[in-house]
Amino acid sequence: MSTPRPVLVVDFGAQYAQLIARRVREAKVYSEIVPHSMPVADMLAKDPAAIILSGGPASVYAPGAPQVDAKLFDAGVPVFGICYGFQAMARALGGTVAHTGDREYGRTVLAARPEAGVMLRDLPSDLPVWMSHGDCVTEAPPGFAVTAGTAVVPVAAFEDVAGRRAGVQFHPEVAHTAHGQEMLTRFLYDIAGIEPTWTMGNIIDDQVAAIREQVGDKEVICALSGGVDSAVAAALVHKAVGDQLTCVFVDHGLLRAGEAEQVEQDYVAATGIKLKVVDAADRFLGALAGVTDPEDKRKIIGREFIRVFEAAAREVAATGDVEFLVQGTLYPDVVESGGGTGTANIKSHHNVGGLPDDLRFSLVEPLRTLFKDEVRQLGLTLGLPEAMVWRHPFPGPGLAIRIIGAVSSDRLEVLRAADLIAREELTASGLDRSVWQFPVVLLADVRSVGVQGDGRTYGHPIVLRPVSSEDAMTADWSRLPYDVIARISTRITNEVPEVNRVVLDVTSKPPGTIEWE
């Protein structure tokens, strides 16, 4: 992908490294994350527009603690240090970092100096910021002006505007720091001199050109799952090469109510994409008959998906020279995998299983530099339906792993009905975007006693599992309003005869997972 010069976020083990990169992009500046172990020469080879040194858990004086190579500051690249990065920067440039025994964690009041410099200019003199440190800078490096302190820390911010360098002890990237995004933006624009050109329009133009150069006149195939990643990736490739792209949608019969129709009708209407639909519901249900072990379910679904996709790919290949496979890889996937390369292997969480080794394509990964929120913005810009762009993450094996017990057509219909009610009420309450994911689980092998009408019932329980998360690595249960939960429960027990009890899962991740199976 053709991209502007990056702002490199050097990760010193910070929990906020990805957040820093996201905040830079929110300022319409392109960013990439690199490990602190990367040699300075390799960083500079990326021709960075600026470098941001992240926070981290270590003490700069601890044995083996990561340090900043002083060569970094000889290259004339603008540098901004945050928390640990601030201390490592100060030490490398001749300042003093001390372990005073005074710690600051959480909300702290920052006192800006009268000579507040560029980043704190015209901001309130007493500013709440988010701190997390034990060591502190007690003396700024030569040539730096101290622009702020706290009751504990004499040097909480410094700047060398002529050298295009600055740093802060606190975390401007978190929402708890007042005016934090404004400070970060001032570094990027006013100190580093970067133009804000990372926009959806530019991303689309750059990516369309890159796809056309990569693909040429060859045919392209995409496994379309209905999720936002594959939908946006396919729409972007289609904008670049048109009918050279064929999307294959394998309907395994395990989707939620309305989702197959959304792919087959709404998506095609919005994009004009050439879509091959494979109705394989009976095949998948037959293979899953009587299977209760969740790992067995996943393996069966993955195996059947591969076979169905192979057959569809051969049919598509019979009509053209298919050399390329579109994959919806996102930037967090690239970071977590160390930047992987190679031939196709559809991620298990992206669809439902990996492609076999002998099914070879060159990958087209138009989203590999983007975060999830950027993908959604891109989808809207490309004109995709909002319902698809804002669709909650959904597991490749679908409702099969939200039925605790064997999967059958009857049980799928019960779960679809309950799930649809939950989604309708969440949407009606305007809470769709405040919840990361909302699994609805059918305890198919459990019966609970109930009273409906004048008689006792033995129905199935339904579990509601609304969760909030940034990246699905950790999650907490969403505190939905009680009246919303009550409406969902009442409607399910009234409208789904097989269900007589609704329960709420209030487990965080860890120790629980988002899905039950």
Side-chain angles (χ1 to χ4, degrees), residues 8 81 98 105 122 133 188 230 367 372 381 439:
L8 298 183
Y105 294 104
D122 299 328
H133 68 94
L188 296 169
S230 64
L367 310 180
K372 191 80 168 187
T381 304

Side-chain angles (χ1 to χ4, degrees), residues 81-124:
I82 295 175
C83 194
Y84 182 88
F86 172 67
Q87 296 171 6
M89 177 181 182
R91 190 179 185 206
L93 289 170
T96 303
V97 180
H99 188 72
T100 62
D102 293 322
R103 299 168 178 262
E104 287 180 316
Y105 294 104
R107 187 181 185 277
T108 305
V109 175
L110 184 77
R113 300 282 182 89
E115 61 282 9
V118 173
M119 291 181 57
L120 300 176
R121 183 184 59 237
D122 299 328
L123 296 183

